[in-house]
Amino acid sequence: NAGVMQNPRHLVRRRGQEARLRCSPMKGHSHVYWYRQLPEEGLKFMVYLQKENIIDESGMPKERFSAEFPKEGPSILRIQQVVRGDSAAYFCASSRPQGAEETQYFGPGTRLLVL
Amino acid sequence: AQTVTQSQPEMSVQEAETVTLSCTYDTSENNYYLFWYKQPPSRQMILVIRQEAYKQQNATENRFSVNFQKAAKSFSLKISDSQLGDTAMYFCAFMKPSIYGGATNKLIFGTGTLLAVQP
């Protein structure tokens, strides 16, 4: 059973460009979470999605960041007009439907470097 | 709001010895889950152990066990027979599952403890 997949593993962008991070949840998982880890810090929650729905985006910056989890395909975290402060590791996690299993399993992360 | 505190930024232990990592949390909730994740140099986040707050029995997973003190809001991790592969950053995390209403399953992490296992 494949784990949570994230790509790319490393992404380099120049200031002002767009970054698009992808996450495919584990088989049977319909809940996806995105977390950000700044250098030398713990993970901070960004957004929680189910298929075609954003459930909680309380951790998302108000501007430039968006997330989606379409009916088909991976979840996408999009960062527009990146700035150096966006450099971080972005982790995706997935879990089974509510009430069945609350444990979140993490992908390997995408390391974003903004030059 | 819930907070998670890990007061030990770094710890060191000799191979085959036992080490305990501390974690405290602050919440007014009665039903919640607690987790320990490890992050080795590869930076992958790996689940170590999980504890449901309604369970009085401490969770164990092979060499890993927890000491869950609900009244004290303490959740420490004990690693027995430490191995070189245990070298990693260890994060404690709190979650109020959405099945208990009003919450959205988000994990709240502590700042981590860097554990070095010495040969």
Side-chain angles (χ1 to χ4, degrees), chain B residues 87-115:
Chain B
T87 293
M89 181 74 85
Y90 286 81
F91 291 100
C92 177
F94 171 100
M95 182 176 75
K96 179 187 175 184
S98 57
I99 58 173
Y100 294 126
T104 57
N105 295 345
K106 63 184 176 185
L107 287 165
I108 298 169
F109 286 89
T111 51
T113 295
L114 181 59
L115 175 67

Side-chain angles (χ1 to χ4, degrees), chain B residues 10 29 45 56 81 84-85 89 102 117:
Chain B
E10 296 183 21
E29 304 292 342
M45 290 291 289
Q56 291 186 342
D81 186 25
L84 296 177
M89 181 74 85
V117 179

Side-chain angles (χ1 to χ4, degrees), chain A residues 47-91:
Chain A
V47 62
Y48 163 39
L49 311 103
Q50 297 174 19
K51 286 284 187 181
E52 300 185 283
N53 282 304
I54 297 175
I55 306 303
D56 180 359
E57 57 182 348
S58 59
M60 288 278 271
K62 294 288 186 276
E63 297 178 347
R64 303 186 297 107
F65 285 72
S66 63
E68 62 176 6
F69 189 16
K71 186 176 180 180
E72 301 291 337
S75 175
I76 306 287
L77 178 67
R78 182 187 301 171
I79 311 171
Q80 295 178 301
Q81 299 175 344
V82 296
V83 301
R84 287 206 174 124
D86 297 333
S87 294
Y90 292 82
F91 288 92

Side-chain angles (χ1 to χ4, degrees), chain A residues 33 35 37 42-43 45 48 55-56 58 89 91 98-99 101-104 106-108 111, chain B residues 33 35 37 39 42-45 47 50 91 95 97-99 104-107 109-111:
Chain A
Y33 314 81
Y35 294 84
Q37 185 178 32
L43 280 72
F45 169 81
Y48 163 39
I55 306 303
D56 180 359
S58 59
F91 288 92
Q98 173 182 326
E101 170 60 66
E102 302 292 354
T103 298
Q104 296 176 25
F106 283 80
R111 275 80 183 169
Chain B
Y33 294 172
F35 302 85
Y37 284 88
Q39 187 177 43
S42 67
R43 303 290 301 277
Q44 171 84 51
M45 290 291 289
L47 176 68
R50 149 195 161 132
F91 291 100
M95 182 176 75
S98 57
I99 58 173
T104 57
N105 295 345
K106 63 184 176 185
L107 287 165
F109 286 89
T111 51

